Amino acid sequence: MSNAAGTLEVAGGATESRRAAIRAAGTGFSVGRMLAVTRKELRSYFAFPLVYVLSGVFLVLAGYYAYTDLVFFVTIAFARDIIQNYWQLLFSDIRLCLLLTLPFITMRLFAEERKLGTIELLYTYPLRDGEILGGKYLASVAIFIMMLALTMLYPVYIYSIHSFPLFPLSAGYLGLLLLGCAFIACGVFISSLCESQVMAGMGTITLLLFFWILNWNEAAFTNSWLALLRAFSLFDQFGSFAKGVIDLDHVTYFVFFIVFFLFLTQRSMEARKWTGRR
């Protein structure tokens, strides 16, 4: 496993003997090789300013909403439950920040490598498609968790002034974590289909926006269709978490959404074997 990591670290300069050793060890799915891909992706992320810019944009937007929502709560709804007012409002606003930034985190994963031609080099390594996909997905999730963790400064500051129940806050952050991981799974899939990073980013936003507005026009559907559309709406599924409730049905939905799009991504990667696409 450690040899796999070493090979990726010296991409392009690995000796044949080291590659042969890795091939001999690579008879099954290896967590070590997947984590080696994750480390390579993280180095790529932090080598360019994009991740810093996107993290800054996310934190500025989230900070703006944290401040304005707090002002709204203090001036208008202070006598009401903080969970039903401040946290619910803030978490609902932060999901918009995720929609605007995470697609640009995932857009480069496959699209950039395909455009630069390095995807062919990656496929020559003794790595399973699942290890490549898992490594890239985990790297994006790690960036997302770093961004989300920095927003915890807001509740820490408020808690230092006035204590409040922590479970509803934890439920809200669990919802944001699941929602962000779902966004990333969708973004990885779209990136696997594109050669242009811009197209991958915009395509991901468009698809996620579709899941957001799926059931907005209630007049266009019957009640039975609306119930079905709500069951597939990413953002309706998030509502209970924002209210401080962990609903296992909604957790299951997010897990299914993530697994489904990762499954589609792996099928997209395998398609190169019979379509000739890189």
Side-chain angles (χ1 to χ4, degrees):
M1 293 181 181
S2 60
N3 285 342
T7 296
L8 286 173
E9 288 166 359
V10 293
T15 63
E16 286 301 322
S17 60
R18 293 180 70 182
R19 293 187 181 188
I22 294 169
R23 289 192 189 96
T27 54
F29 185 92
S30 167
V31 174
R33 289 195 293 272
M34 181 183 71
L35 293 178
V37 176
T38 302
R39 289 194 290 272
K40 169 185 171 293
E41 289 298 327
L42 286 174
R43 283 197 297 272
S44 298
Y45 271 123
F46 288 108
F48 297 97
L50 180 65
V51 69
Y52 302 104
V53 172
L54 289 174
S55 298
V57 169
F58 172 76
L59 291 174
V60 167
L61 290 175
Y64 169 79
Y65 282 124
Y67 174 73
T68 55
D69 291 347
L70 183 61
V71 170
F72 171 81
F73 175 74
V74 170
T75 57
I76 298 179
F78 187 71
R80 303 174 67 183
D81 184 2
I82 187 172
I83 302 302
Q84 293 300 321
N85 289 273
Y86 181 64
W87 296 131
Q88 185 176 351
L89 191 58
L90 178 60
F91 288 137
S92 298
D93 288 334
I94 288 181
R95 66 181 180 174
L96 176 63
C97 305
L98 296 179
L99 176 67
L100 295 175
T101 53
L102 287 185
F104 296 103
I105 294 289
T106 59
M107 68 180 183
R108 55 169 296 279
L109 287 174
F110 286 96
E112 181 185 47
E113 296 219 43
R114 186 169 290 115
K115 183 177 181 180
L116 297 176
T118 55
I119 193 73
E120 294 174 345
L121 176 64
L122 183 62
Y123 284 142
T124 62
Y125 283 115
L127 293 168
R128 291 176 175 271
D129 287 351
E131 293 165 352
I132 296 173
L133 172 58
K136 288 178 174 291
Y137 180 74
L138 285 181
S140 297
V141 169
I143 297 293
F144 162 56
I145 290 176
M146 178 198 72
M147 293 164 52
L148 191 62
L150 291 173
T151 67
M152 291 183 177
L153 292 174
Y154 316 141
V156 168
Y157 173 71
I158 295 174
Y159 192 86
S160 67
I161 300 173
H162 180 70
S163 61
F164 52 81
L166 294 178
F167 179 80
L169 180 71
S170 304
Y173 269 103
L174 175 63
L176 287 177
L177 180 65
L178 290 171
L179 186 68
C181 289
F183 284 5
I184 291 172
C186 180
V188 171
F189 170 63
I190 298 296
S191 182
S192 74
L193 301 175
C194 300
E195 289 192 11
S196 165
Q197 293 187 56
V198 175
M199 286 184 63
M202 296 307 297
T204 304
I205 289 179
T206 302
L207 184 56
L208 293 177
L209 198 58
F210 172 75
F211 277 102
W212 192 336
I213 64 175
L214 199 58
N215 56 343
W216 276 18
N217 194 350
E218 297 181 352
F221 304 102
T222 63
N223 290 336
S224 56
W225 271 104
L226 273 177
L228 180 63
L229 293 176
R230 287 196 180 101
F232 284 95
S233 171
L234 266 178
F235 300 91
D236 278 22
Q237 303 288 335
F238 174 75
S240 63
F241 294 98
K243 296 175 183 175
V245 177
I246 298 177
D247 188 320
L248 288 182
D249 288 342
H250 294 165
V251 173
T252 303
Y253 169 82
F254 279 113
V255 172
F256 173 79
F257 189 96
I258 293 167
V259 172
F260 177 69
F261 273 98
L262 292 181
F263 170 79
L264 291 181
T265 307
Q266 185 147 8
R267 297 287 84 79
S268 172
M269 295 170 67
E270 292 173 355
R272 73 185 187 277
K273 298 173 183 175
W274 51 271
T275 62
R277 184 171 62 93
R278 290 179 299 171

